[in-house]
Amino acid sequence: MPIDDVLSELAESGATGALKAGRSGTVYLSKGRVCYVECARTPTVEELLTATGRLTLSGMRTARQTAAATADGGDMLVRRGVLSRGELQLCVLGATLDASFFLFGANVPKPKFREGDRHWLGIHWFFDVPGLFRECHRRRARLDRAWPSAELDSRPVVPVRRIRAQHVVLTALQWEILLNADAETTPAELAKRIGRPAYPTLLAVREMAAAGLLECPEPPPPEKPPDLPKRVAGAAPRATAGGGDGRRARSSYPEISGDPTDVNLLIRLRNALEAFQ
Amino acid sequence: MIGIEDCLSEAMAIPGALGAILVDHTSGTALAMEGLPDPERSAIGLSETFRATLDGLALSSPDGTVRIDDLIITTDHGYQLIKPMETMWDGPLLICLRLDRDRANLALARRRLDNISHELIAS
């Protein structure tokens, strides 16, 4: 049974507790809203805080034991000055969106719901379930726009020895990925190693693949340009009768190279223009 | 020390503020917003604007690396302020503020936004 269906039912019934999806992860609900999600493939809040040196492993263990019964560990960490209220909320928010992306949509043999179970960190942000599904869908589409093939997602990241471009611009995250890529580690493992969420890491890997910086199995098929709308008979005058196979009309557009970097740039330009109307 | 919601309401209390949004830059996710009709589209547009600026400046700067403190865009209707905030575990978050051109005091707004970002992220 897909975990999404179970989750939707729980949300509708206003459930409070933890939905365990075997070893894949856990979704924490409060009155039908999601307050935290953990996924085995993405760094948890605990892992993010220890990876960045905010807390030591033993410090984290002690905090968890102290707060296990009361489920107010987050507030305790804020009081102790480990991180600010805003940082805690942002960390929970980011980790939850990240985990949801990899956990949802998966088929889980026997998801178990434990009524009343709470996470030791407590509740720091709420997500409504349909909104969370929408965001996962948007992230999936964004990933496919960057590089429309999932082949790289589970393979080790291998930077190319020599690039064809003369000049490359990298983001800070892309730099970290390239530095840590040892031709053996997959994007998800890299994310855990450098203490970054898995989705941005995956996105950065696909973007670097599109820019020709990574060894790829084979280039994905270029995106097919959308078909022009079907002509309706007599809708508009046509210069030559009988020659309307659409080819002439299309040739007035500039050539699209099919190079993923070009397509990417066009998509980014379009998005920016649409948002800035 | 403030939370995400206080951060947005404080941003909206800046004179001339028309809308405010908190965006996760790497994923283009709208995390929290006020006064915006289509936050998802704004989030994508603003994070792309920020990224395009970073890329463009990196190419044009003599040393090739760039750290943006904030970005001010003046349009015919108003100002758009984009301020990146570094978190330790994620790429920058953007706090973006749209301001009315007639009512806003740009210097004041910029200073207040800077304070708000420091209150949200203590580091």
Side-chain angles (χ1 to χ4, degrees):
Chain A
M1 191 174 186
I3 191 167
D4 301 30
D5 296 353
V6 188
L7 197 55
S8 298
E9 280 172 27
L10 288 169
E12 271 171 37
S13 63
T16 299
L19 176 65
K20 281 204 179 293
R23 284 191 187 165
S24 314
T26 311
V27 182
Y28 292 88
L29 290 138
S30 172
K31 294 179 185 161
R33 287 189 296 172
V34 171
C35 45
Y36 184 50
V37 180
E38 271 179 358
C39 173
R41 293 165 64 190
T42 60
T44 60
V45 168
E46 288 102 316
E47 282 172 320
L48 291 174
L49 290 180
T50 45
T52 50
R54 286 297 179 96
L55 266 179
T56 59
L57 273 176
S58 63
M60 183 61 81
R61 217 172 296 130
T62 321
R64 190 187 312 152
Q65 280 161 3
T66 318
T70 47
D72 64 345
D75 295 334
M76 186 181 73
L77 295 180
V78 171
R79 274 199 307 277
R80 280 200 207 154
V82 172
L83 75 177
S84 74
R85 168 81 47 206
E87 284 173 317
L88 175 63
Q89 288 177 334
L90 291 168
C91 195
V92 167
L93 218 164
T96 301
L97 290 174
D98 198 33
S100 304
F101 179 77
F102 291 94
L103 186 63
F104 294 174
N107 258 313
V108 179
K110 272 185 190 164
K112 265 190 209 149
F113 183 66
R114 287 165 63 137
E115 185 92 39
D117 257 19
R118 293 176 296 175
H119 193 270
W120 71 272
L121 280 168
I123 296 170
H124 302 285
W125 201 254
F126 289 109
F127 307 82
D128 68 292
V129 172
L132 210 47
F133 288 155
R134 249 196 337 271
E135 174 61 18
C136 291
H137 185 74
R138 194 193 66 75
R139 287 187 171 208
R140 169 69 52 204
R142 169 102 198 255
L143 211 53
D144 288 340
R145 276 206 312 271
W147 176 256
S149 157
E151 269 191 87
L152 286 169
D153 299 3
S154 48
R155 282 169 184 260
V157 179
V158 187
V160 293
R161 305 286 297 170
R162 185 168 286 185
I163 56 171
R164 282 175 54 213
Q166 289 116 345
H167 200 122
V168 178
V169 178
L170 294 178
T171 66
L173 178 57
Q174 289 172 339
W175 169 262
E176 283 177 35
I177 292 170
L178 287 181
L179 268 191
N180 286 278
D182 53 5
E184 287 172 7
T185 319
T186 64
E189 291 162 355
L190 270 176
K192 287 217 177 200
R193 185 181 298 172
I194 59 181
R196 299 284 193 173
Y199 176 81
T201 308
L202 195 55
L203 183 62
V205 165
R206 286 213 195 180
E207 282 169 346
M208 286 194 287
L213 304 182
L214 301 181
E215 297 281 2
C216 301
E218 58 192 40
E223 267 182 51
K224 216 175 114 215
D227 288 333
L228 290 173
K230 281 255 155 52
R231 279 178 62 83
V232 182
R238 185 94 198 180
T240 51
D245 61 352
R247 206 169 286 163
R248 279 193 58 178
R250 206 171 287 182
S251 69
S252 63
Y253 292 101
E255 283 286 314
I256 296 175
S257 67
D259 176 0
T261 4
D262 286 358
V263 177
N264 246 345
L265 180 69
L266 288 172
I267 291 167
R268 281 171 55 193
L269 262 174
R270 185 197 61 196
N271 290 345
L273 285 172
E274 277 178 359
F276 261 91
Q277 56 176 348
Chain B
M1 207 161 71
I2 55 173
I4 295 174
E5 276 160 357
D6 312 317
C7 150
L8 275 191
S9 46
E10 283 195 22
M12 285 301 281
I14 294 173
L18 298 172
I21 184 169
L22 196 63
V23 179
D24 177 34
H25 175 48
T26 36
S27 62
T29 308
L31 298 179
M33 65 298 292
E34 254 187 62
L36 290 166
D38 189 345
E40 282 184 17
R41 218 171 59 170
S42 304
I44 293 170
L46 289 163
S47 52
E48 286 303 331
T49 304
F50 184 72
R51 182 166 176 152
T53 311
L54 272 180
D55 286 358
L57 286 182
L59 282 175
S60 66
S61 81
D63 51 8
T65 54
V66 171
R67 224 194 68 80
I68 290 180
D69 202 33
D70 62 11
L71 196 64
I72 303 168
I73 300 162
T74 309
T75 69
D76 45 0
H77 300 303
Y79 305 108
Q80 180 79 55
L81 248 62
I82 304 178
K83 175 151 187 76
M85 296 183 286
E86 298 291 337
T87 58
M88 288 184 75
W89 53 83
D90 209 345
L93 292 166
L94 306 177
I95 177 160
C96 311
L97 187 65
R98 204 161 60 85
L99 293 161
D100 184 284
R101 193 159 173 169
D102 295 327
R103 289 189 295 128
N105 176 336
L106 194 53
L108 176 79
R110 193 167 162 250
R111 206 186 152 104
R112 291 261 297 260
L113 203 59
D114 192 47
N115 286 342
I116 292 170
S117 74
H118 281 110
E119 277 182 74
L120 182 69
I121 294 181
S123 51

